[in-house]
Amino acid sequence: MLKVMRCMLFALTLQAANEGSPVLKQYCSACHGKAASGGISLDQMGSVGEHYQQWQKVALAIEQRRMPPEKMPQPSDAERT
């Protein structure tokens, strides 16, 4: 339960950040902006309530360092949390 709540909080943070975050724009939007690389398009995602599973995938991929890919510029530890 705690892990689900942590993911939900992180997803809510990402959603809020997506609405004007330079971090998501800098590290994610090239592949996940209008394009839906991997089935994720940050420009098309709505609220966490409506798209929880997608936001959870985004949160977990960033938290687990699966995204951005190794060869791409990486956010700092502070930017990941």
Side-chain angles (χ1 to χ4, degrees), residues 3 12 22 25 31 41-42 51 60 77 80:
K3 187 171 186 172
L12 283 167
K25 288 181 178 150
C31 297
S41 171
L42 297 173
H51 301 279
L60 288 173
D77 289 341
R80 287 183 186 273

Side-chain angles (χ1 to χ4, degrees), residues 27 31-32 65-75 80:
Y27 299 108
C31 297
H32 299 287
R65 299 181 178 278
R66 291 182 285 123
M67 285 289 152
E70 285 182 22
K71 294 182 181 181
M72 301 298 288
Q74 299 292 311
R80 287 183 186 273

Side-chain angles (χ1 to χ4, degrees), residues 1-78:
M1 178 74 166
L2 183 59
K3 187 171 186 172
V4 170
M5 290 177 69
R6 195 174 95 213
C7 284
M8 188 170 208
L9 178 60
F10 190 56
L12 283 167
T13 303
L14 286 174
Q15 176 193 350
N18 187 42
E19 294 170 2
S21 169
V23 174
L24 286 180
K25 288 181 178 150
Q26 180 178 354
Y27 299 108
C28 307
S29 66
C31 297
H32 299 287
K34 291 182 181 181
S37 188
I40 300 293
S41 171
L42 297 173
D43 289 351
Q44 296 176 8
M45 286 171 53
S47 71
V48 170
E50 295 173 30
H51 301 279
Y52 173 74
Q53 290 180 338
Q54 288 180 310
W55 281 111
Q56 183 180 31
K57 284 173 70 175
V58 171
L60 288 173
I62 294 170
E63 185 178 76
Q64 295 172 351
R65 299 181 178 278
R66 291 182 285 123
M67 285 289 152
E70 285 182 22
K71 294 182 181 181
M72 301 298 288
Q74 299 292 311
S76 68
D77 289 341

